[in-house]
Amino acid sequence: MLVNLLSSRTKAYLFRRSCLKASLIIAGSVIQGFGMGVFLFPHAIPPGGAGGLALLLNHWFSFPMSIGFWLMNFLFLLTAIPFLGTVSTVGTIGVITTTSVSVNIFGVYFNSPLGNVWFDLLAGSVLLGIGIAVLLTQRFSNGGIGFAALALSRQKHFDPGKTLFWMNGAIFILTACVIDWMIIIQALLCQWISTSIVSWLYSTSFPARPLYAWRGKRDR
């Protein structure tokens, strides 16, 4: 009977932890979706490489931002699936899906109360950073381009940080050439503010630990 009682308590504890984890993942996805949908995307400010490509799809083909954002992230994620564990793959798909739905809902039904591109840039970047930090605490990425950069760096033995920088940089330049050159400055500011928020919130509260289940050849 004692064993059954302990087992029941363990199951209840694991269930509560799973619910809390799922709630935080959803919260992080919604927060960053709110920042992008209300403050960044209306000014054509890309929060990252996938966001920049989503802006281009919207500019060229009037493709909805939410669908373009989901599609670009998913395509980037496909390049890294062979190296990811099941939990990381499914979790990241869930994150980009929740974020894309949030972008669509907030973008349609909410308008920025600030009305200034630079204030909106600040607000959107802060919210983006908060959302990413929440996701990182649960060991999930906020999109697929980071995984694509890691997969490329693993195959070609490049530095992953530099790989991600050049991938995002190339997309920002292309977006600026097509839409507006000011986008480069705004995108870099967005990156700097959001990553500063992430570093402050995450590194001061949580020790360094792996973000996802990255599998090597020996693991498969």
Side-chain angles (χ1 to χ4, degrees), residues 158-216:
F158 296 151
D159 178 86
K162 291 181 180 178
T163 302
L164 181 59
F165 173 81
W166 287 112
M167 288 177 67
N168 279 329
I171 294 172
F172 290 159
I173 292 174
L174 177 60
T175 307
C177 289
V178 173
I179 301 177
D180 189 341
W181 276 103
M182 183 60 69
I183 286 176
I184 291 182
I185 297 175
Q186 294 168 340
L188 291 176
L189 277 173
C190 177
Q191 290 284 296
W192 178 75
I193 295 170
S194 61
T195 53
S196 297
I197 294 294
V198 170
S199 298
W200 178 62
L201 291 178
Y202 182 78
S203 62
T204 57
S205 303
F206 296 88
R209 52 183 166 175
L211 173 60
Y212 42 75
W214 189 264
R215 304 188 313 185

Short mmCIF file of all heavy atoms in Angstrom, two decimals, residues 158-216:
data_model
loop_
_atom_site.label_atom_id
_atom_site.label_comp_id
_atom_site.label_asym_id
_atom_site.label_seq_id
_atom_site.Cartn_x
_atom_site.Cartn_y
_atom_site.Cartn_z
N PHE A 158 31.82 24.45 -38.98
CA PHE A 158 31.85 25.88 -38.80
C PHE A 158 31.48 26.22 -37.36
O PHE A 158 30.88 25.42 -36.64
CB PHE A 158 30.85 26.58 -39.74
CG PHE A 158 31.18 26.42 -41.20
CD1 PHE A 158 30.17 26.42 -42.15
CD2 PHE A 158 32.49 26.29 -41.62
CE1 PHE A 158 30.46 26.28 -43.49
CE2 PHE A 158 32.79 26.15 -42.97
CZ PHE A 158 31.77 26.14 -43.91
N ASP A 159 31.82 27.45 -36.95
CA ASP A 159 31.37 27.93 -35.65
C ASP A 159 29.86 28.18 -35.73
O ASP A 159 29.41 28.94 -36.60
CB ASP A 159 32.10 29.23 -35.29
CG ASP A 159 31.63 29.79 -33.97
OD1 ASP A 159 32.17 29.37 -32.94
OD2 ASP A 159 30.71 30.63 -33.98
N PRO A 160 29.05 27.59 -34.84
CA PRO A 160 27.59 27.73 -34.96
C PRO A 160 27.11 29.15 -34.78
O PRO A 160 26.16 29.58 -35.45
CB PRO A 160 27.05 26.82 -33.85
CG PRO A 160 28.19 26.63 -32.91
CD PRO A 160 29.43 26.69 -33.75
N GLY A 161 27.77 29.91 -33.87
CA GLY A 161 27.36 31.30 -33.68
C GLY A 161 27.59 32.14 -34.92
O GLY A 161 26.72 32.92 -35.33
N LYS A 162 28.75 31.97 -35.54
CA LYS A 162 29.05 32.72 -36.76
C LYS A 162 28.14 32.28 -37.90
O LYS A 162 27.72 33.10 -38.73
CB LYS A 162 30.51 32.53 -37.14
CG LYS A 162 31.49 33.19 -36.17
CD LYS A 162 32.92 33.00 -36.62
CE LYS A 162 33.89 33.67 -35.66
NZ LYS A 162 35.31 33.45 -36.07
N THR A 163 27.85 30.97 -37.96
CA THR A 163 26.95 30.47 -39.01
C THR A 163 25.58 31.11 -38.91
O THR A 163 25.00 31.57 -39.90
CB THR A 163 26.83 28.94 -38.90
OG1 THR A 163 28.12 28.34 -39.01
CG2 THR A 163 25.93 28.40 -40.02
N LEU A 164 25.04 31.16 -37.69
CA LEU A 164 23.73 31.77 -37.47
C LEU A 164 23.77 33.27 -37.78
O LEU A 164 22.84 33.81 -38.39
CB LEU A 164 23.28 31.54 -36.03
CG LEU A 164 21.89 32.10 -35.65
CD1 LEU A 164 20.82 31.49 -36.54
CD2 LEU A 164 21.60 31.84 -34.19
N PHE A 165 24.86 33.92 -37.40
CA PHE A 165 25.00 35.36 -37.67
C PHE A 165 24.96 35.64 -39.16
O PHE A 165 24.25 36.55 -39.62
CB PHE A 165 26.32 35.87 -37.06
CG PHE A 165 26.63 37.30 -37.42
CD1 PHE A 165 26.04 38.33 -36.73
CD2 PHE A 165 27.50 37.60 -38.47
CE1 PHE A 165 26.32 39.66 -37.06
CE2 PHE A 165 27.79 38.90 -38.80
CZ PHE A 165 27.19 39.94 -38.10
N TRP A 166 25.72 34.88 -39.95
CA TRP A 166 25.78 35.13 -41.39
C TRP A 166 24.48 34.74 -42.08
O TRP A 166 24.07 35.40 -43.06
CB TRP A 166 26.96 34.39 -42.00
CG TRP A 166 28.27 35.02 -41.66
CD1 TRP A 166 29.26 34.52 -40.87
CD2 TRP A 166 28.74 36.31 -42.08
NE1 TRP A 166 30.31 35.41 -40.76
CE2 TRP A 166 30.02 36.52 -41.50
CE3 TRP A 166 28.22 37.31 -42.89
CZ2 TRP A 166 30.76 37.67 -41.70
CZ3 TRP A 166 28.96 38.47 -43.10
CH2 TRP A 166 30.22 38.63 -42.51
N MET A 167 23.81 33.69 -41.60
CA MET A 167 22.52 33.32 -42.18
C MET A 167 21.50 34.43 -41.95
O MET A 167 20.82 34.87 -42.89
CB MET A 167 22.03 32.01 -41.57
CG MET A 167 22.81 30.77 -42.03
SD MET A 167 22.26 29.25 -41.21
CE MET A 167 20.60 29.07 -41.89
N ASN A 168 21.40 34.89 -40.70
CA ASN A 168 20.47 35.98 -40.40
C ASN A 168 20.87 37.26 -41.14
O ASN A 168 20.02 37.97 -41.68
CB ASN A 168 20.44 36.25 -38.89
CG ASN A 168 19.55 35.29 -38.14
OD1 ASN A 168 18.56 34.81 -38.67
ND2 ASN A 168 19.91 34.99 -36.90
N GLY A 169 22.19 37.55 -41.17
CA GLY A 169 22.66 38.76 -41.83
C GLY A 169 22.32 38.79 -43.31
O GLY A 169 21.89 39.82 -43.84
N ALA A 170 22.49 37.65 -43.99
CA ALA A 170 22.18 37.58 -45.41
C ALA A 170 20.69 37.81 -45.66
O ALA A 170 20.30 38.52 -46.61
CB ALA A 170 22.60 36.22 -45.97
N ILE A 171 19.85 37.25 -44.79
CA ILE A 171 18.40 37.44 -44.94
C ILE A 171 18.02 38.88 -44.65
O ILE A 171 17.16 39.46 -45.35
CB ILE A 171 17.64 36.46 -44.00
CG1 ILE A 171 17.90 35.01 -44.45
CG2 ILE A 171 16.15 36.76 -44.01
CD1 ILE A 171 17.36 33.97 -43.49
N PHE A 172 18.63 39.49 -43.64
CA PHE A 172 18.35 40.89 -43.33
C PHE A 172 18.71 41.80 -44.51
O PHE A 172 17.98 42.72 -44.85
CB PHE A 172 19.12 41.34 -42.09
CG PHE A 172 18.63 40.72 -40.81
CD1 PHE A 172 19.45 40.67 -39.69
CD2 PHE A 172 17.35 40.19 -40.71
CE1 PHE A 172 19.02 40.11 -38.51
CE2 PHE A 172 16.91 39.62 -39.53
CZ PHE A 172 17.74 39.58 -38.43
N ILE A 173 19.86 41.55 -45.12
CA ILE A 173 20.30 42.37 -46.26
C ILE A 173 19.34 42.21 -47.43
O ILE A 173 18.97 43.19 -48.09
CB ILE A 173 21.74 41.99 -46.66
CG1 ILE A 173 22.73 42.42 -45.58
CG2 ILE A 173 22.11 42.63 -48.00
CD1 ILE A 173 24.15 41.95 -45.82
N LEU A 174 18.94 40.97 -47.71
CA LEU A 174 17.99 40.73 -48.79
C LEU A 174 16.67 41.43 -48.52
O LEU A 174 16.09 42.07 -49.41
CB LEU A 174 17.75 39.22 -48.95
CG LEU A 174 16.71 38.79 -50.00
CD1 LEU A 174 17.12 39.28 -51.39
CD2 LEU A 174 16.52 37.28 -49.99
N THR A 175 16.17 41.33 -47.28
CA THR A 175 14.92 42.00 -46.91
C THR A 175 15.05 43.51 -47.06
O THR A 175 14.13 44.17 -47.56
CB THR A 175 14.54 41.65 -45.46
OG1 THR A 175 14.52 40.24 -45.29
CG2 THR A 175 13.16 42.21 -45.12
N ALA A 176 16.19 44.06 -46.66
CA ALA A 176 16.41 45.50 -46.76
C ALA A 176 16.46 45.95 -48.22
O ALA A 176 15.94 47.02 -48.57
CB ALA A 176 17.70 45.88 -46.04
N CYS A 177 17.12 45.15 -49.07
CA CYS A 177 17.20 45.49 -50.50
C CYS A 177 15.82 45.53 -51.14
O CYS A 177 15.53 46.39 -51.99
CB CYS A 177 18.07 44.47 -51.23
SG CYS A 177 19.83 44.56 -50.87
N VAL A 178 14.95 44.63 -50.73
CA VAL A 178 13.63 44.52 -51.35
C VAL A 178 12.65 45.53 -50.77
O VAL A 178 11.87 46.15 -51.52
CB VAL A 178 13.09 43.09 -51.17
CG1 VAL A 178 11.64 42.99 -51.65
CG2 VAL A 178 13.97 42.09 -51.93
N ILE A 179 12.67 45.73 -49.45
CA ILE A 179 11.64 46.54 -48.80
C ILE A 179 12.17 47.92 -48.43
O ILE A 179 11.68 48.94 -48.91
CB ILE A 179 11.09 45.80 -47.55
CG1 ILE A 179 10.49 44.45 -47.96
CG2 ILE A 179 10.02 46.66 -46.87
CD1 ILE A 179 9.99 43.61 -46.79
N ASP A 180 13.16 47.99 -47.54
CA ASP A 180 13.67 49.29 -47.08
C ASP A 180 15.00 49.07 -46.38
O ASP A 180 15.14 48.17 -45.55
CB ASP A 180 12.67 49.92 -46.10
CG ASP A 180 13.02 51.36 -45.75
OD1 ASP A 180 14.19 51.75 -45.95
OD2 ASP A 180 12.14 52.08 -45.27
N TRP A 181 16.00 49.91 -46.72
CA TRP A 181 17.33 49.75 -46.13
C TRP A 181 17.34 49.99 -44.63
O TRP A 181 18.22 49.51 -43.92
CB TRP A 181 18.32 50.69 -46.83
CG TRP A 181 18.85 50.09 -48.09
CD1 TRP A 181 18.49 50.39 -49.36
CD2 TRP A 181 19.82 49.04 -48.19
NE1 TRP A 181 19.15 49.60 -50.27
CE2 TRP A 181 20.00 48.76 -49.56
CE3 TRP A 181 20.55 48.30 -47.26
CZ2 TRP A 181 20.86 47.79 -50.03
CZ3 TRP A 181 21.43 47.34 -47.72
CH2 TRP A 181 21.57 47.09 -49.09
N MET A 182 16.40 50.76 -44.12
CA MET A 182 16.33 51.01 -42.68
C MET A 182 16.11 49.71 -41.90
O MET A 182 16.40 49.63 -40.70
CB MET A 182 15.20 52.01 -42.38
CG MET A 182 15.08 52.41 -40.93
SD MET A 182 16.56 53.22 -40.27
CE MET A 182 16.50 54.76 -41.17
N ILE A 183 15.62 48.68 -42.59
CA ILE A 183 15.35 47.40 -41.94
C ILE A 183 16.61 46.81 -41.32
O ILE A 183 16.55 46.16 -40.27
CB ILE A 183 14.72 46.42 -42.95
CG1 ILE A 183 13.27 46.81 -43.22
CG2 ILE A 183 14.78 44.97 -42.44
CD1 ILE A 183 12.58 45.97 -44.27
N ILE A 184 17.76 47.01 -41.96
CA ILE A 184 19.00 46.46 -41.42
C ILE A 184 19.27 47.01 -40.02
O ILE A 184 19.56 46.26 -39.07
CB ILE A 184 20.19 46.76 -42.34
CG1 ILE A 184 20.06 45.98 -43.64
CG2 ILE A 184 21.51 46.43 -41.65
CD1 ILE A 184 21.22 46.19 -44.59
N ILE A 185 19.17 48.34 -39.87
CA ILE A 185 19.39 48.96 -38.57
C ILE A 185 18.36 48.47 -37.56
O ILE A 185 18.70 48.12 -36.41
CB ILE A 185 19.34 50.49 -38.69
CG1 ILE A 185 20.46 50.99 -39.61
CG2 ILE A 185 19.44 51.16 -37.32
CD1 ILE A 185 20.42 52.47 -39.90
N GLN A 186 17.10 48.44 -37.97
CA GLN A 186 16.04 48.03 -37.07
C GLN A 186 16.18 46.56 -36.67
O GLN A 186 15.97 46.19 -35.51
CB GLN A 186 14.68 48.29 -37.71
CG GLN A 186 14.39 49.77 -37.91
CD GLN A 186 13.19 50.02 -38.79
OE1 GLN A 186 12.76 49.16 -39.57
NE2 GLN A 186 12.63 51.21 -38.68
N ALA A 187 16.54 45.71 -37.64
CA ALA A 187 16.70 44.28 -37.34
C ALA A 187 17.86 44.04 -36.39
O ALA A 187 17.76 43.23 -35.47
CB ALA A 187 16.91 43.51 -38.64
N LEU A 188 18.98 44.75 -36.61
CA LEU A 188 20.13 44.60 -35.72
C LEU A 188 19.82 45.09 -34.31
O LEU A 188 20.22 44.48 -33.32
CB LEU A 188 21.33 45.35 -36.30
CG LEU A 188 21.94 44.74 -37.57
CD1 LEU A 188 23.06 45.63 -38.10
CD2 LEU A 188 22.47 43.33 -37.31
N LEU A 189 19.09 46.21 -34.21
CA LEU A 189 18.68 46.70 -32.90
C LEU A 189 17.76 45.70 -32.20
O LEU A 189 17.89 45.46 -31.00
CB LEU A 189 17.96 48.05 -33.05
CG LEU A 189 18.85 49.29 -33.15
CD1 LEU A 189 17.99 50.52 -33.45
CD2 LEU A 189 19.64 49.50 -31.87
N CYS A 190 16.85 45.14 -32.98
CA CYS A 190 15.94 44.13 -32.43
C CYS A 190 16.72 42.94 -31.90
O CYS A 190 16.45 42.43 -30.80
CB CYS A 190 14.94 43.69 -33.50
SG CYS A 190 13.81 42.38 -32.98
N GLN A 191 17.70 42.47 -32.68
CA GLN A 191 18.53 41.35 -32.25
C GLN A 191 19.30 41.68 -30.98
O GLN A 191 19.38 40.87 -30.05
CB GLN A 191 19.50 40.97 -33.37
CG GLN A 191 18.85 40.33 -34.58
CD GLN A 191 18.47 38.89 -34.33
OE1 GLN A 191 19.32 38.04 -34.11
NE2 GLN A 191 17.18 38.60 -34.38
N TRP A 192 19.87 42.87 -30.94
CA TRP A 192 20.68 43.26 -29.79
C TRP A 192 19.83 43.36 -28.52
O TRP A 192 20.21 42.85 -27.46
CB TRP A 192 21.38 44.59 -30.06
CG TRP A 192 22.21 45.05 -28.89
CD1 TRP A 192 23.42 44.56 -28.47
CD2 TRP A 192 21.86 46.09 -27.97
NE1 TRP A 192 23.85 45.23 -27.35
CE2 TRP A 192 22.91 46.18 -27.02
CE3 TRP A 192 20.77 46.97 -27.87
CZ2 TRP A 192 22.88 47.10 -25.97
CZ3 TRP A 192 20.76 47.88 -26.83
CH2 TRP A 192 21.81 47.94 -25.90
N ILE A 193 18.68 44.03 -28.63
CA ILE A 193 17.82 44.20 -27.46
C ILE A 193 17.27 42.87 -26.98
O ILE A 193 17.32 42.55 -25.78
CB ILE A 193 16.65 45.17 -27.78
CG1 ILE A 193 17.19 46.57 -28.07
CG2 ILE A 193 15.66 45.22 -26.62
CD1 ILE A 193 16.13 47.52 -28.62
N SER A 194 16.74 42.06 -27.91
CA SER A 194 16.13 40.79 -27.51
C SER A 194 17.16 39.83 -26.93
O SER A 194 16.89 39.16 -25.91
CB SER A 194 15.41 40.14 -28.70
OG SER A 194 16.31 39.87 -29.76
N THR A 195 18.34 39.75 -27.53
CA THR A 195 19.36 38.84 -27.00
C THR A 195 19.90 39.32 -25.66
O THR A 195 20.26 38.52 -24.80
CB THR A 195 20.53 38.66 -27.99
OG1 THR A 195 21.03 39.95 -28.37
CG2 THR A 195 20.08 37.91 -29.23
N SER A 196 19.94 40.64 -25.47
CA SER A 196 20.35 41.17 -24.17
C SER A 196 19.34 40.79 -23.09
O SER A 196 19.71 40.43 -21.97
CB SER A 196 20.49 42.70 -24.23
OG SER A 196 21.50 43.09 -25.14
N ILE A 197 18.06 40.87 -23.43
CA ILE A 197 17.00 40.47 -22.49
C ILE A 197 17.12 38.98 -22.18
O ILE A 197 17.01 38.56 -21.02
CB ILE A 197 15.61 40.78 -23.08
CG1 ILE A 197 15.40 42.29 -23.22
CG2 ILE A 197 14.50 40.17 -22.22
CD1 ILE A 197 15.33 43.05 -21.92
N VAL A 198 17.35 38.18 -23.21
CA VAL A 198 17.50 36.74 -23.01
C VAL A 198 18.67 36.44 -22.08
O VAL A 198 18.55 35.66 -21.13
CB VAL A 198 17.70 36.01 -24.37
CG1 VAL A 198 18.10 34.56 -24.13
CG2 VAL A 198 16.44 36.08 -25.20
N SER A 199 19.81 37.06 -22.35
CA SER A 199 21.00 36.82 -21.53
C SER A 199 20.76 37.22 -20.08
O SER A 199 21.14 36.52 -19.15
CB SER A 199 22.19 37.61 -22.08
OG SER A 199 22.51 37.18 -23.38
N TRP A 200 20.10 38.35 -19.88
CA TRP A 200 19.85 38.85 -18.53
C TRP A 200 18.88 37.94 -17.77
O TRP A 200 19.14 37.57 -16.62
CB TRP A 200 19.31 40.28 -18.60
CG TRP A 200 19.00 40.84 -17.24
CD1 TRP A 200 19.88 41.05 -16.22
CD2 TRP A 200 17.72 41.27 -16.78
NE1 TRP A 200 19.21 41.57 -15.12
CE2 TRP A 200 17.89 41.72 -15.45
CE3 TRP A 200 16.44 41.32 -17.35
CZ2 TRP A 200 16.83 42.22 -14.68
CZ3 TRP A 200 15.40 41.82 -16.60
CH2 TRP A 200 15.59 42.25 -15.28
N LEU A 201 17.78 37.58 -18.41
CA LEU A 201 16.77 36.77 -17.73
C LEU A 201 17.21 35.33 -17.54
O LEU A 201 16.97 34.73 -16.49
CB LEU A 201 15.45 36.80 -18.52
CG LEU A 201 14.69 38.13 -18.54
CD1 LEU A 201 13.44 37.99 -19.41
CD2 LEU A 201 14.30 38.53 -17.12
N TYR A 202 17.85 34.77 -18.57
CA TYR A 202 18.19 33.35 -18.52
C TYR A 202 19.45 33.07 -17.72
O TYR A 202 19.45 32.26 -16.80
CB TYR A 202 18.35 32.80 -19.94
CG TYR A 202 18.66 31.32 -19.98
CD1 TYR A 202 17.66 30.38 -19.79
CD2 TYR A 202 19.96 30.86 -20.20
CE1 TYR A 202 17.94 29.03 -19.82
CE2 TYR A 202 20.25 29.51 -20.23
CZ TYR A 202 19.23 28.59 -20.04
OH TYR A 202 19.51 27.25 -20.06
N SER A 203 20.53 33.76 -18.04
CA SER A 203 21.81 33.43 -17.42
C SER A 203 21.87 33.79 -15.94
O SER A 203 22.62 33.19 -15.18
CB SER A 203 22.96 34.13 -18.16
OG SER A 203 22.81 35.53 -18.08
N THR A 204 21.07 34.78 -15.52
CA THR A 204 21.10 35.16 -14.11
C THR A 204 20.23 34.27 -13.25
O THR A 204 20.38 34.26 -12.02
CB THR A 204 20.62 36.61 -13.93
OG1 THR A 204 19.30 36.74 -14.47
CG2 THR A 204 21.55 37.58 -14.62
N SER A 205 19.35 33.50 -13.87
CA SER A 205 18.43 32.66 -13.10
C SER A 205 18.67 31.18 -13.25
O SER A 205 18.25 30.40 -12.39
CB SER A 205 16.98 32.97 -13.52
OG SER A 205 16.69 34.34 -13.35
N PHE A 206 19.33 30.76 -14.34
CA PHE A 206 19.49 29.34 -14.61
C PHE A 206 20.94 29.03 -14.96
O PHE A 206 21.56 29.79 -15.70
CB PHE A 206 18.58 28.90 -15.76
CG PHE A 206 17.13 29.04 -15.44
CD1 PHE A 206 16.47 30.24 -15.68
CD2 PHE A 206 16.43 27.99 -14.87
CE1 PHE A 206 15.14 30.39 -15.37
CE2 PHE A 206 15.09 28.14 -14.57
CZ PHE A 206 14.44 29.33 -14.81
N PRO A 207 21.47 27.93 -14.47
CA PRO A 207 22.83 27.54 -14.85
C PRO A 207 22.89 27.09 -16.29
O PRO A 207 21.86 26.80 -16.90
CB PRO A 207 23.14 26.38 -13.90
CG PRO A 207 21.78 25.81 -13.58
CD PRO A 207 20.84 26.99 -13.56
N ALA A 208 24.09 27.07 -16.85
CA ALA A 208 24.26 26.61 -18.23
C ALA A 208 23.84 25.17 -18.34
O ALA A 208 24.21 24.32 -17.54
CB ALA A 208 25.72 26.76 -18.65
N ARG A 209 23.05 24.85 -19.36
CA ARG A 209 22.61 23.48 -19.59
C ARG A 209 22.21 23.33 -21.04
O ARG A 209 21.94 24.32 -21.72
CB ARG A 209 21.43 23.13 -18.67
CG ARG A 209 20.28 24.13 -18.74
CD ARG A 209 19.21 23.72 -17.76
NE ARG A 209 18.26 24.80 -17.56
CZ ARG A 209 17.18 24.67 -16.82
NH1 ARG A 209 16.91 23.54 -16.22
NH2 ARG A 209 16.35 25.68 -16.66
N PRO A 210 22.13 22.11 -21.54
CA PRO A 210 21.81 21.91 -22.96
C PRO A 210 20.41 22.37 -23.28
O PRO A 210 19.49 22.21 -22.49
CB PRO A 210 21.96 20.39 -23.15
CG PRO A 210 21.84 19.82 -21.79
CD PRO A 210 22.40 20.84 -20.86
N LEU A 211 20.27 22.99 -24.46
CA LEU A 211 18.97 23.52 -24.89
C LEU A 211 18.07 22.46 -25.47
O LEU A 211 16.86 22.54 -25.37
CB LEU A 211 19.22 24.64 -25.91
CG LEU A 211 18.01 25.24 -26.63
CD1 LEU A 211 17.07 25.84 -25.61
CD2 LEU A 211 18.44 26.27 -27.65
N TYR A 212 18.62 21.43 -26.05
CA TYR A 212 17.81 20.45 -26.75
C TYR A 212 18.57 19.14 -26.79
O TYR A 212 19.73 19.05 -26.42
CB TYR A 212 17.51 20.91 -28.19
CG TYR A 212 18.72 21.50 -28.83
CD1 TYR A 212 19.76 20.67 -29.27
CD2 TYR A 212 18.87 22.87 -28.94
CE1 TYR A 212 20.89 21.21 -29.84
CE2 TYR A 212 20.02 23.41 -29.49
CZ TYR A 212 21.01 22.57 -29.94
OH TYR A 212 22.14 23.10 -30.48
N ALA A 213 17.91 18.11 -27.27
CA ALA A 213 18.53 16.79 -27.37
C ALA A 213 19.17 16.66 -28.74
O ALA A 213 18.53 16.27 -29.71
CB ALA A 213 17.48 15.69 -27.17
N TRP A 214 20.42 17.04 -28.85
CA TRP A 214 21.16 16.98 -30.12
C TRP A 214 21.85 15.63 -30.22
O TRP A 214 22.70 15.30 -29.40
CB TRP A 214 22.18 18.11 -30.16
CG TRP A 214 22.82 18.26 -31.49
CD1 TRP A 214 24.02 17.74 -31.88
CD2 TRP A 214 22.33 18.99 -32.60
NE1 TRP A 214 24.28 18.10 -33.17
CE2 TRP A 214 23.28 18.87 -33.64
CE3 TRP A 214 21.16 19.73 -32.82
CZ2 TRP A 214 23.09 19.48 -34.87
CZ3 TRP A 214 21.00 20.33 -34.06
CH2 TRP A 214 21.94 20.19 -35.06
N ARG A 215 21.50 14.84 -31.21
CA ARG A 215 21.98 13.47 -31.29
C ARG A 215 23.17 13.34 -32.23
O ARG A 215 23.15 13.87 -33.33
CB ARG A 215 20.87 12.54 -31.78
CG ARG A 215 19.61 12.62 -30.94
CD ARG A 215 18.61 11.57 -31.33
NE ARG A 215 18.43 11.53 -32.78
CZ ARG A 215 17.53 10.75 -33.37
NH1 ARG A 215 16.74 9.97 -32.66
NH2 ARG A 215 17.41 10.74 -34.67
N GLY A 216 24.19 12.64 -31.78
CA GLY A 216 25.32 12.32 -32.64
C GLY A 216 25.11 10.97 -33.29
O GLY A 216 24.12 10.29 -33.07
#
